[in-house]
Amino acid sequence: MSSEPDGGDIDPRRAMWRRGSYEIAGDWVRPASLSVLDRLEEVSGSIDGRRLLDAATGTGAVAIEAARRGAVVVGVDLTDELVDIGRHRAAEAGVEVRLAIGDFDRLDEVIGDAVFDVITSSFGVIFAPDPPTTLAGFDRLLAPDGLVGVTGWDPDGVMMVPDTLLELLPQRPVMPDMSTWTTAVGPFAADGGFEVAAAVADDLVIRFASVADAAEQLERWSGGWAQLLETFDSLGVGGEARARLVEHLAAFSTTQEKGIGLCARFHTSVLRRIEPPVSGAGVG
């Protein structure tokens, strides 16, 4: 997938994911992405035979692994290039997965009135601009006692843009609150008619040749970091921004036998849909 910008894409989210190569960046975090399936099975047993929807499926890592475990899987992603990669990978893996192009906030347009036992999203819906609306959309697609599994970055972790970078911007941008789906998921889930069945923090170590190499690789392959650094270049502070990015990454790095490891903390939340009480129940 090309690292050249896609100037003709009017949807800023799709344009971001088309930058760099999520085929590469997504593979860095694949072990963390797949943890959502392990946590789901810890809560409710095997997903074999269950109907599973993977929202913002990317290159299909979770969808393909879920199919390997016997689930009946549909994956949806906004970016057609990533869906094409996912279809190719599913074919190589020898599993049946239906992958479609669509927005996780307009899933009805893609899957109609289908109902699922499980909905997953690893490093996808954490970017939702309106989390309550997104969760309500999931709720409409879930069977009674259905589950939602979400994996997201720690709000204070290495994958978040640090204040030292944001202060270089003339105006602080509005950014998704990652804590909604992770460290502050309890009240959010309750407001949406769900209970938290599991909330687990884990660490992923991503290996690079050096901290400087990690910064260069993030800029080259991660669409979000590429776009942000391009903005700093347009403001004439690109050099300073890259120096501060290296400092940020260094704070989360450890020396490995070969090179360094970036410690990226992530959270996996499993939410269980709560059935509303039957009207008049318990009245004598």
Side-chain angles (χ1 to χ4, degrees):
M1 203 172 164
S2 171
S3 61
E4 293 300 315
D6 184 354
D9 198 324
I10 61 173
D11 188 316
R13 296 171 304 157
R14 184 183 289 112
M16 183 188 75
W17 293 112
R18 282 178 167 169
R19 291 292 302 270
S21 172
Y22 195 71
E23 187 174 5
I24 293 174
D27 284 351
W28 293 341
V29 303
R30 185 175 183 275
S33 296
L34 297 184
S35 72
V36 71
L37 297 176
D38 296 330
R39 300 306 180 194
L40 283 162
E41 291 190 326
E42 288 171 4
V43 167
S44 64
S46 172
I47 61 171
D48 185 18
R50 297 192 187 183
R51 300 160 296 177
L52 184 145
L53 170 65
D54 190 41
T57 194
T59 53
V62 172
I64 292 167
E65 177 59 25
R68 281 197 186 105
R69 299 187 190 192
V72 179
V73 182
V74 176
V76 177
D77 196 86
L78 189 66
T79 309
D80 51 350
E81 291 93 337
L82 298 186
V83 169
D84 286 343
I85 293 168
R87 288 170 176 160
H88 177 71
R89 289 186 171 187
E92 285 187 328
V95 296
E96 184 176 344
V97 177
R98 177 192 165 196
L99 295 176
I101 300 165
D103 189 334
F104 58 61
D105 277 333
R106 296 197 298 271
L107 289 168
D108 293 350
E109 297 176 5
V110 182
I111 60 178
D113 57 358
V115 176
F116 297 88
D117 304 301
V118 179
I119 298 177
T120 56
S121 186
S122 287
F123 308 115
V125 299
I126 57 172
F127 297 102
D130 185 0
T133 296
T134 300
L135 188 59
F138 287 177
D139 181 63
R140 290 193 296 271
L141 299 173
L142 279 173
D145 203 34
L147 298 172
V148 173
V150 174
T151 299
W153 296 119
D154 188 274
D156 298 314
V158 66
M159 292 301 183
M160 306 307 295
V161 181
D163 287 339
T164 54
L165 276 173
L166 293 176
E167 65 188 20
L168 294 174
L169 298 172
Q171 183 175 354
R172 191 182 182 99
V174 177
M175 303 180 71
D177 182 1
M178 299 291 176
S179 69
T180 300
W181 299 95
T182 56
T183 56
V185 70
F188 167 62
D191 289 345
F194 287 78
E195 63 181 2
V196 179
V200 182
D202 290 296
D203 292 312
L204 171 71
V205 177
I206 310 172
R207 289 174 170 79
F208 296 96
S210 64
V211 174
D213 175 61
E216 292 172 4
Q217 296 275 1
L218 284 173
E219 181 176 1
R220 182 176 185 184
W221 303 119
S222 171
W225 287 107
Q227 285 190 333
L228 181 62
L229 290 166
E230 187 177 76
T231 299
F232 288 126
D233 285 337
S234 70
L235 295 171
V237 294
E240 178 63 23
R242 288 172 177 82
R244 295 187 184 192
L245 173 59
V246 168
E247 291 176 356
H248 170 67
L249 298 179
F252 294 90
S253 70
T254 58
T255 302
Q256 304 288 310
E257 184 176 348
K258 293 183 179 180
I260 62 99
L262 287 184
C263 183
R265 173 146 287 208
F266 64 96
H267 299 258
T268 306
S269 303
V270 178
L271 312 181
R272 179 182 286 111
R273 185 173 184 257
I274 303 172
E275 279 292 287
V278 177
S279 177
V283 178

